[in-house]
Amino acid sequence: AAVQLPRSILQAKSTSLPFIPTDWIFRFFPYISRDRVRFLLRFNQISFLMGLGYFYLWAHAPYKCDHYEGFYESPLYRYTRGELE
């Protein structure tokens, strides 16, 4: 019979969390993951803060299209605005 990997390893790609597989944390860092419930709570808190950090520090482009100055004004827009003044 051929040697097969455990079922959990085969499904790890579809069920694991991004960056570091959680089973590696339990395996290589037993002090961090001694209490599984507390680890889950801390993991959720860190993931939430990382998501906020990504959104506000990296994905959020400050001062981009948050005002009405500096936009392209088409000739029709300038004509219509001139007619209103």
Side-chain angles (χ1 to χ4, degrees):
V3 178
Q4 292 184 342
L5 291 173
R7 185 179 182 107
S8 60
I9 300 283
L10 294 174
Q11 294 179 348
K13 189 167 188 167
S14 62
T15 60
S16 67
L17 297 168
F19 304 122
I20 300 172
T22 309
D23 55 339
W24 285 11
I25 299 288
F26 288 113
R27 184 176 184 187
F28 297 116
F29 301 102
Y31 178 75
I32 295 173
S33 60
R34 187 175 302 157
D35 182 5
R36 289 179 184 247
V37 174
R38 186 163 296 183
F39 168 75
L40 179 63
L41 175 66
R42 187 68 59 207
F43 185 83
N44 283 338
Q45 290 171 342
I46 291 171
S47 296
F48 180 76
L49 291 175
M50 284 176 58
L52 281 179
Y54 168 75
F55 182 77
Y56 284 114
L57 300 174
W58 179 262
H60 173 67
Y63 309 116
K64 297 290 182 182
C65 297
D66 60 350
H67 55 79
Y68 294 107
E69 301 169 359
F71 286 112
Y72 171 73
E73 296 178 354
S74 68
L76 176 62
Y77 175 80
R78 283 186 274 143
Y79 171 77
T80 305
R81 189 180 68 193
E83 291 293 316
L84 292 173
E85 292 176 348

